[in-house]
Amino acid sequence: ERLQHMVDFLSALNEEQEERYVYYKRSRLDHGKVRRVMAASAPDRVVQEDAVIVLAGSCKVFLGEVVEKARDIQLVWKDTGPLKPCHLREAFRQMEAQGRAPTVHRAGRKRGRRR
């Protein structure tokens, strides 16, 4: 049943979507870098490998959601070509406003649409 669901899913994708899906499946965050970030945020703790794997996986899913939202924004703005930083910033801003992303405090920065 699970295999059939995956076959149905993949057959429903167009060529561009399938290519993005393959890149997403093959990508992974560097565990050494994730470990360093975790160690820096809690220097008095030992960072367990299981925790690194969980955080890296969670970050990968979150980044996928940001990119998906940025693609939607690109379509709304009628932009073409690869995603630009402005699409990603706007996606994160909208997700932050919806409570779907951590709130980031930016000192000395003005809000607004940059291109």
Short mmCIF file of all heavy atoms in Angstrom, two decimals, residues 54-92:
data_model
loop_
_atom_site.label_atom_id
_atom_site.label_comp_id
_atom_site.label_asym_id
_atom_site.label_seq_id
_atom_site.Cartn_x
_atom_site.Cartn_y
_atom_site.Cartn_z
N VAL A 54 17.83 14.39 14.36
CA VAL A 54 16.46 14.91 14.46
C VAL A 54 16.41 16.38 14.06
O VAL A 54 15.55 16.80 13.28
CB VAL A 54 15.89 14.71 15.88
CG1 VAL A 54 14.61 15.49 16.08
CG2 VAL A 54 15.67 13.23 16.16
N LEU A 55 17.34 17.17 14.59
CA LEU A 55 17.35 18.60 14.25
C LEU A 55 17.64 18.82 12.78
O LEU A 55 16.99 19.66 12.13
CB LEU A 55 18.35 19.36 15.12
CG LEU A 55 18.34 20.87 14.91
CD1 LEU A 55 16.97 21.45 15.27
CD2 LEU A 55 19.42 21.53 15.74
N ALA A 56 18.58 18.08 12.21
CA ALA A 56 18.90 18.23 10.78
C ALA A 56 17.67 17.88 9.94
O ALA A 56 17.36 18.58 8.97
CB ALA A 56 20.09 17.35 10.40
N GLY A 57 16.96 16.83 10.30
CA GLY A 57 15.75 16.45 9.56
C GLY A 57 14.66 17.50 9.68
O GLY A 57 14.00 17.84 8.69
N SER A 58 14.48 18.03 10.88
CA SER A 58 13.47 19.07 11.10
C SER A 58 13.81 20.32 10.31
O SER A 58 12.93 20.95 9.71
CB SER A 58 13.37 19.41 12.59
OG SER A 58 12.97 18.30 13.33
N CYS A 59 15.07 20.68 10.29
CA CYS A 59 15.51 21.87 9.54
C CYS A 59 15.30 21.67 8.04
O CYS A 59 14.88 22.60 7.34
CB CYS A 59 16.97 22.17 9.83
SG CYS A 59 17.26 22.80 11.49
N LYS A 60 15.55 20.46 7.56
CA LYS A 60 15.36 20.17 6.14
C LYS A 60 13.89 20.34 5.76
O LYS A 60 13.57 20.95 4.74
CB LYS A 60 15.83 18.76 5.83
CG LYS A 60 15.65 18.36 4.39
CD LYS A 60 16.15 16.95 4.15
CE LYS A 60 15.80 16.47 2.77
NZ LYS A 60 16.31 15.13 2.49
N VAL A 61 13.00 19.84 6.60
CA VAL A 61 11.56 19.99 6.34
C VAL A 61 11.18 21.47 6.36
O VAL A 61 10.46 21.96 5.48
CB VAL A 61 10.73 19.19 7.36
CG1 VAL A 61 9.25 19.52 7.24
CG2 VAL A 61 10.95 17.70 7.15
N PHE A 62 11.66 22.21 7.37
CA PHE A 62 11.36 23.64 7.47
C PHE A 62 11.85 24.39 6.24
O PHE A 62 11.13 25.21 5.66
CB PHE A 62 11.96 24.22 8.75
CG PHE A 62 11.80 25.70 8.85
CD1 PHE A 62 10.56 26.27 9.10
CD2 PHE A 62 12.88 26.55 8.68
CE1 PHE A 62 10.40 27.65 9.17
CE2 PHE A 62 12.74 27.92 8.76
CZ PHE A 62 11.50 28.47 9.01
N LEU A 63 13.08 24.12 5.82
CA LEU A 63 13.63 24.79 4.64
C LEU A 63 12.82 24.46 3.39
O LEU A 63 12.61 25.32 2.53
CB LEU A 63 15.09 24.42 4.44
CG LEU A 63 16.05 24.97 5.50
CD1 LEU A 63 17.43 24.35 5.34
CD2 LEU A 63 16.12 26.47 5.44
N GLY A 64 12.35 23.22 3.30
CA GLY A 64 11.49 22.84 2.18
C GLY A 64 10.20 23.65 2.17
O GLY A 64 9.73 24.07 1.11
N GLU A 65 9.64 23.88 3.35
CA GLU A 65 8.42 24.69 3.45
C GLU A 65 8.67 26.14 3.06
O GLU A 65 7.85 26.77 2.39
CB GLU A 65 7.85 24.61 4.86
CG GLU A 65 7.27 23.25 5.20
CD GLU A 65 6.80 23.14 6.64
OE1 GLU A 65 6.89 24.14 7.40
OE2 GLU A 65 6.35 22.05 7.01
N VAL A 66 9.83 26.68 3.46
CA VAL A 66 10.18 28.05 3.10
C VAL A 66 10.32 28.17 1.58
O VAL A 66 9.80 29.11 0.96
CB VAL A 66 11.47 28.52 3.80
CG1 VAL A 66 11.94 29.87 3.26
CG2 VAL A 66 11.28 28.60 5.31
N VAL A 67 10.99 27.21 0.96
CA VAL A 67 11.18 27.25 -0.50
C VAL A 67 9.83 27.11 -1.21
O VAL A 67 9.56 27.82 -2.18
CB VAL A 67 12.17 26.15 -0.94
CG1 VAL A 67 12.16 25.98 -2.45
CG2 VAL A 67 13.56 26.46 -0.45
N GLU A 68 8.97 26.23 -0.71
CA GLU A 68 7.65 26.06 -1.32
C GLU A 68 6.85 27.37 -1.24
O GLU A 68 6.23 27.80 -2.21
CB GLU A 68 6.90 24.94 -0.60
CG GLU A 68 5.58 24.57 -1.22
CD GLU A 68 4.93 23.40 -0.49
OE1 GLU A 68 5.62 22.63 0.17
OE2 GLU A 68 3.69 23.30 -0.61
N LYS A 69 6.89 28.02 -0.09
CA LYS A 69 6.19 29.31 0.08
C LYS A 69 6.82 30.37 -0.83
O LYS A 69 6.11 31.18 -1.43
CB LYS A 69 6.27 29.73 1.55
CG LYS A 69 5.54 31.00 1.88
CD LYS A 69 4.07 30.75 1.91
CE LYS A 69 3.34 31.94 2.47
NZ LYS A 69 1.90 31.84 2.24
N ALA A 70 8.13 30.35 -0.96
CA ALA A 70 8.82 31.32 -1.82
C ALA A 70 8.42 31.12 -3.29
O ALA A 70 8.26 32.09 -4.02
CB ALA A 70 10.33 31.19 -1.66
N ARG A 71 8.24 29.87 -3.70
CA ARG A 71 7.77 29.61 -5.07
C ARG A 71 6.37 30.18 -5.28
O ARG A 71 6.08 30.74 -6.34
CB ARG A 71 7.75 28.10 -5.35
CG ARG A 71 9.11 27.54 -5.56
CD ARG A 71 9.19 26.98 -6.97
NE ARG A 71 10.56 26.63 -7.24
CZ ARG A 71 11.29 27.19 -8.19
NH1 ARG A 71 10.78 28.12 -8.94
NH2 ARG A 71 12.52 26.82 -8.40
N ASP A 72 5.49 30.03 -4.28
CA ASP A 72 4.15 30.61 -4.37
C ASP A 72 4.23 32.13 -4.51
O ASP A 72 3.52 32.72 -5.31
CB ASP A 72 3.32 30.25 -3.14
CG ASP A 72 2.99 28.76 -3.06
OD1 ASP A 72 3.10 28.07 -4.08
OD2 ASP A 72 2.64 28.30 -1.94
N ILE A 73 5.09 32.75 -3.74
CA ILE A 73 5.27 34.21 -3.78
C ILE A 73 5.81 34.62 -5.15
O ILE A 73 5.35 35.60 -5.74
CB ILE A 73 6.19 34.67 -2.64
CG1 ILE A 73 5.45 34.53 -1.31
CG2 ILE A 73 6.69 36.09 -2.85
CD1 ILE A 73 6.33 34.58 -0.10
N GLN A 74 6.73 33.86 -5.68
CA GLN A 74 7.28 34.15 -7.01
C GLN A 74 6.17 34.15 -8.05
O GLN A 74 6.13 35.03 -8.92
CB GLN A 74 8.34 33.10 -7.35
CG GLN A 74 9.03 33.33 -8.67
CD GLN A 74 10.00 32.22 -9.01
OE1 GLN A 74 9.76 31.06 -8.69
NE2 GLN A 74 11.11 32.58 -9.64
N LEU A 75 5.25 33.20 -7.96
CA LEU A 75 4.13 33.15 -8.90
C LEU A 75 3.19 34.34 -8.73
O LEU A 75 2.76 34.94 -9.71
CB LEU A 75 3.34 31.85 -8.71
CG LEU A 75 4.04 30.57 -9.18
CD1 LEU A 75 3.22 29.35 -8.79
CD2 LEU A 75 4.27 30.61 -10.67
N VAL A 76 2.88 34.70 -7.48
CA VAL A 76 2.00 35.84 -7.20
C VAL A 76 2.62 37.13 -7.74
O VAL A 76 1.93 37.96 -8.32
CB VAL A 76 1.71 35.95 -5.69
CG1 VAL A 76 1.03 37.27 -5.35
CG2 VAL A 76 0.86 34.78 -5.23
N TRP A 77 3.93 37.27 -7.57
CA TRP A 77 4.61 38.47 -8.05
C TRP A 77 4.88 38.41 -9.55
O TRP A 77 5.45 39.34 -10.13
CB TRP A 77 5.94 38.64 -7.32
CG TRP A 77 5.81 39.04 -5.88
CD1 TRP A 77 4.67 39.32 -5.19
CD2 TRP A 77 6.88 39.21 -4.95
NE1 TRP A 77 4.95 39.64 -3.90
CE2 TRP A 77 6.31 39.58 -3.72
CE3 TRP A 77 8.25 39.07 -5.03
CZ2 TRP A 77 7.07 39.83 -2.58
CZ3 TRP A 77 9.01 39.31 -3.90
CH2 TRP A 77 8.43 39.69 -2.70
N LYS A 78 4.53 37.31 -10.18
CA LYS A 78 4.74 37.10 -11.62
C LYS A 78 6.21 37.21 -12.01
O LYS A 78 6.55 37.72 -13.08
CB LYS A 78 3.87 38.06 -12.43
CG LYS A 78 2.38 37.82 -12.24
CD LYS A 78 1.56 38.81 -13.04
CE LYS A 78 0.10 38.54 -12.97
NZ LYS A 78 -0.56 38.74 -11.72
N ASP A 79 7.09 36.73 -11.12
CA ASP A 79 8.51 36.67 -11.43
C ASP A 79 8.80 35.32 -12.09
O ASP A 79 8.08 34.35 -11.88
CB ASP A 79 9.35 36.78 -10.16
CG ASP A 79 9.36 38.20 -9.58
OD1 ASP A 79 8.98 39.12 -10.31
OD2 ASP A 79 9.73 38.35 -8.41
N THR A 80 9.85 35.27 -12.86
CA THR A 80 10.26 34.03 -13.50
C THR A 80 11.71 33.74 -13.17
O THR A 80 12.42 34.60 -12.63
CB THR A 80 10.08 34.10 -15.03
OG1 THR A 80 10.86 35.20 -15.52
CG2 THR A 80 8.63 34.28 -15.42
N GLY A 81 12.15 32.55 -13.52
CA GLY A 81 13.53 32.17 -13.28
C GLY A 81 13.71 31.59 -11.89
O GLY A 81 12.75 31.21 -11.23
N PRO A 82 14.96 31.52 -11.45
CA PRO A 82 15.23 30.94 -10.13
C PRO A 82 14.70 31.84 -9.01
O PRO A 82 14.47 33.04 -9.22
CB PRO A 82 16.75 30.83 -10.08
CG PRO A 82 17.25 31.79 -11.10
CD PRO A 82 16.18 31.92 -12.15
N LEU A 83 14.54 31.26 -7.85
CA LEU A 83 14.13 32.05 -6.69
C LEU A 83 15.19 33.10 -6.38
O LEU A 83 16.39 32.87 -6.56
CB LEU A 83 13.95 31.16 -5.46
CG LEU A 83 12.75 30.25 -5.45
CD1 LEU A 83 12.78 29.35 -4.21
CD2 LEU A 83 11.46 31.03 -5.48
N LYS A 84 14.73 34.24 -5.91
CA LYS A 84 15.63 35.32 -5.52
C LYS A 84 15.56 35.47 -4.00
O LYS A 84 14.60 35.03 -3.37
CB LYS A 84 15.19 36.64 -6.18
CG LYS A 84 15.23 36.59 -7.68
CD LYS A 84 14.67 37.87 -8.27
CE LYS A 84 14.57 37.77 -9.78
NZ LYS A 84 13.83 38.88 -10.36
N PRO A 85 16.55 36.11 -3.42
CA PRO A 85 16.52 36.32 -1.97
C PRO A 85 15.25 37.02 -1.49
O PRO A 85 14.73 36.71 -0.41
CB PRO A 85 17.76 37.19 -1.70
CG PRO A 85 18.71 36.79 -2.78
CD PRO A 85 17.84 36.55 -3.99
N CYS A 86 14.70 37.93 -2.31
CA CYS A 86 13.48 38.64 -1.90
C CYS A 86 12.30 37.67 -1.75
O CYS A 86 11.46 37.85 -0.87
CB CYS A 86 13.13 39.76 -2.88
SG CYS A 86 12.82 39.23 -4.57
N HIS A 87 12.25 36.61 -2.57
CA HIS A 87 11.18 35.62 -2.45
C HIS A 87 11.33 34.85 -1.13
O HIS A 87 10.35 34.60 -0.42
CB HIS A 87 11.22 34.62 -3.61
CG HIS A 87 11.09 35.25 -4.95
ND1 HIS A 87 11.96 34.98 -5.99
CD2 HIS A 87 10.20 36.15 -5.44
CE1 HIS A 87 11.60 35.67 -7.06
NE2 HIS A 87 10.54 36.39 -6.75
N LEU A 88 12.56 34.48 -0.82
CA LEU A 88 12.82 33.72 0.41
C LEU A 88 12.56 34.58 1.65
O LEU A 88 11.96 34.11 2.62
CB LEU A 88 14.25 33.19 0.42
CG LEU A 88 14.53 32.15 -0.67
CD1 LEU A 88 16.02 31.94 -0.84
CD2 LEU A 88 13.82 30.84 -0.37
N ARG A 89 12.98 35.84 1.60
CA ARG A 89 12.74 36.74 2.75
C ARG A 89 11.25 36.93 2.98
O ARG A 89 10.77 36.88 4.12
CB ARG A 89 13.40 38.10 2.51
CG ARG A 89 14.88 38.13 2.82
CD ARG A 89 15.40 39.56 2.84
NE ARG A 89 15.27 40.22 1.55
CZ ARG A 89 16.21 40.20 0.61
NH1 ARG A 89 17.33 39.56 0.80
NH2 ARG A 89 16.01 40.83 -0.53
N GLU A 90 10.50 37.13 1.90
CA GLU A 90 9.05 37.33 2.02
C GLU A 90 8.37 36.06 2.51
O GLU A 90 7.45 36.12 3.33
CB GLU A 90 8.45 37.79 0.69
CG GLU A 90 6.96 38.03 0.72
CD GLU A 90 6.52 39.11 1.70
OE1 GLU A 90 7.35 39.93 2.14
OE2 GLU A 90 5.31 39.16 2.02
N ALA A 91 8.82 34.91 2.04
CA ALA A 91 8.26 33.64 2.51
C ALA A 91 8.48 33.49 4.01
O ALA A 91 7.56 33.15 4.75
CB ALA A 91 8.89 32.48 1.76
N PHE A 92 9.70 33.77 4.46
CA PHE A 92 9.99 33.66 5.89
C PHE A 92 9.18 34.67 6.69
O PHE A 92 8.64 34.35 7.74
CB PHE A 92 11.49 33.85 6.15
CG PHE A 92 11.86 33.58 7.58
CD1 PHE A 92 12.10 32.29 8.00
CD2 PHE A 92 11.94 34.60 8.51
CE1 PHE A 92 12.42 32.02 9.32
CE2 PHE A 92 12.25 34.35 9.82
CZ PHE A 92 12.50 33.05 10.23
#
